[in-house]
Each structure stands twice: as structure tokens, then as C-alpha cells.
Amino acid sequence: MAHKLPELPYSYDALEPFLSEQTLCIHHDRHHRGYVDGLNQAEERIETAREAGDFSSVRAICDALAFNYSGHLFHSIYWQCMSPGGGGEPSGALAEQIVNDFDDLATFRTQFTAATNAVQGSGWGVLAWQPLGQSLVVLQAEKHQNLAQWGAVPVVVLDVWEHAYYLDYQNERKRYTEAFFDVINWEFALHRFEQA
Ligand code: MN3
């Protein structure tokens, strides 16, 4: 079953002025689609390799699967982590867990933006549920797939590849990661957290 590009959960201009219509159009229609297409191609390649019993290219195919699967997954979560009616504070079990693991919301926010700003090159800031320790953790993901903690479940993700913010913020990643909290969709985060 081929993977499909999910629809944006709002219109392309719905997050202005945080992100412009042009940024969301390019980011969703070109970049995210690229990961979906790349993933479908990589799955075809591994299927072909299995049928032929020829795994001489397995390293490159595994690399393409990890890169494109992670890109597709993170973007699918990222769109929903933002909302035109977003911002404010988290509620319910997520709010309690944030206080439990980060002392308070302000400290979480400071750690999350600091970690995200410090991602080397292209990557993501991630708030994830770590089942082993039964705790929320802040992670950096370089590109999409490096430095991940296996088993952790992403709850909130923030894209800091330059294509996500360059048209609107140029090289000022910090302004973008701080403004992210004006549109953050805490209801979606709570939903993901409860499922995790
Ligand atoms: Mn992106």
C-alpha cells in the first residue's frame, strides 16, 4: 500500500504571520511530498530486492527508508502540532507530566527551544514519551533520523530545516522557535500523549 501525502489540517495562510502562505505551500507540497515519494520508491526497491534475492544494495535502501520514513512521520505530526487557534498552555495529563518531568511549563519551553536552536544543521526539536523511563524527554533529531532514542514516542515536533522558516525568518531560527509557542496545538499534543 503506497504512502500518501496527508492534507494540511488548515489552509495555507492559516498560520500567518507565524508562517507565510508561501512557506507552507513549498514545505507541504514540495518537501513533504518528496519524502512520501522517496519512501514509496525505497519500499519498491526493497520489494524488488527481496523478489530477486539480491541484497547488494541493502545498505543504501535501508538509508533511504530511514530518511524518508522519518521525514514523512515527523512532517505528518508537525502540521498538527500547530493550529490557527493554538498557543496558551497544555492541559490534563500532559500538563501534569510536563510539571513532573521539567518542573514547570516555562522551564520545559526554555529547554525545548534551547535544544531545538542548538540542532546542528538541519533537524528537529522533539518532545517525546519514553516508555522505558515513563517520562517525557526533549530530543534533538539531526536530519530526521539521527540521534533518535529508539522506543520514544514523539508528542510535539518542531521542524528546523531551513526550508521550514527561511522565507519568513531568514537565519533567525531563535525567533521562529519562540513564536512556535504562539500557535502550538496543545490539544493535539495531549491527544498524542494520552495515546502514548
Ligand atoms: Mn521540513
Side-chain angles (χ1 to χ4, degrees):
M1 199 47 197
H3 299 275
K4 288 201 181 89
L5 179 68
E7 297 271 314
L8 268 190
Y10 33 71
S11 61
Y12 290 103
D13 62 358
L15 297 180
E16 287 186 344
F18 170 59
L19 290 176
S20 63
E21 181 175 7
Q22 190 186 18
T23 291
L24 275 198
C25 267
I26 295 171
H27 196 175
H28 178 267
D29 292 6
R30 297 191 206 165
H31 289 269
H32 190 169
R33 185 183 302 284
Y35 300 117
V36 172
D37 292 347
L39 175 57
N40 287 329
Q41 284 161 15
E43 289 195 339
E44 272 172 39
R45 286 173 69 199
I46 198 70
E47 180 65 37
T48 305
R50 273 196 296 268
E51 283 165 7
D54 174 8
F55 291 100
S56 55
S57 300
V58 72
R59 199 209 161 280
I61 300 171
C62 281
D63 189 67
L65 283 170
F67 181 77
N68 289 296
Y69 226 128
S70 303
H72 176 36
L73 173 96
F74 274 163
H75 284 94
S76 299
I77 301 170
Y78 172 65
W79 308 129
Q80 303 213 56
C81 282
M82 302 177 287
S83 159
E89 297 193 356
S91 61
L94 178 61
E96 285 170 27
Q97 196 69 43
I98 286 175
V99 170
N100 193 61
D101 295 334
F102 300 96
D103 297 337
D104 53 47
L105 180 64
T107 307
F108 157 71
R109 195 172 150 158
T110 306
Q111 182 178 337
F112 182 83
T113 49
T116 307
N117 292 334
V119 169
Q120 283 192 344
S122 299
W124 298 78
V126 180
L127 172 65
W129 175 247
Q130 176 52 271
L132 180 64
Q134 292 285 296
S135 64
L136 287 166
V137 289
V138 167
L139 307 177
Q140 298 174 316
E142 286 177 8
K143 295 198 282 181
H144 310 298
Q145 70 279 40
N146 302 357
L147 300 180
Q149 278 184 13
W150 291 55
V153 181
V155 174
V156 170
V157 301
L158 176 51
D159 193 343
V160 286
W161 287 55
E162 283 190 341
H163 64 236
Y165 61 89
Y166 206 84
L167 288 170
D168 300 317
Y169 299 88
Q170 291 79 50
N171 60 342
E172 294 180 70
R173 179 185 283 185
K174 232 178 135 182
R175 278 208 303 127
Y176 161 73
T177 58
E178 276 162 14
F180 173 74
F181 282 90
D182 296 338
V183 299
I184 188 168
N185 186 345
W186 283 118
E187 268 175 51
F188 174 71
L190 174 62
H191 172 69
R192 281 195 67 84
F193 176 65
E194 284 173 340
Q195 288 200 320

